[in-house]
Amino acid sequence: VGFASHFEGADLRGANFTNAMMMQSRFTDAQIAGADFTNAVIDLPQLKALCSRAEGVNSITGVSTRESLGCR
């Protein structure tokens, strides 16, 4: 996974993006419940959008999606 990836409408539930470099990536309408974004580098506007719908806990890592994104 990397720079300028397009995840529009993708099913990313339960995915592990730990340490991924995801600058200029798009996540519009992606399903992210249970995804782990720990230490992933994501553009601030996309990060805010992801936080607005983040929920669940990754079944492998045990990390909550909101926590992994650093959501407030």
Side-chain angles (χ1 to χ4, degrees):
V1 179
F3 182 80
S5 297
H6 293 270
F7 298 104
E8 291 97 336
D11 184 349
L12 304 175
R13 292 176 290 189
N16 187 343
F17 292 109
T18 300
N19 299 317
M21 302 303 279
M22 305 175 86
M23 295 81 60
Q24 296 185 16
S25 293
R26 305 271 186 258
F27 297 90
T28 306
D29 297 325
Q31 299 175 48
I32 62 165
D36 185 344
F37 293 93
T38 301
N39 297 321
V41 180
I42 303 169
D43 294 333
L44 189 56
Q46 289 296 305
L47 184 62
K48 288 181 179 180
L50 289 171
C51 281
S52 73
R53 61 183 192 276
E55 63 183 17
V57 174
N58 186 281
S59 62
I60 303 297
T61 65
V63 176
S64 81
T65 301
R66 292 190 61 77
E67 180 181 321
S68 72
L69 287 165
C71 303
R72 295 179 184 205

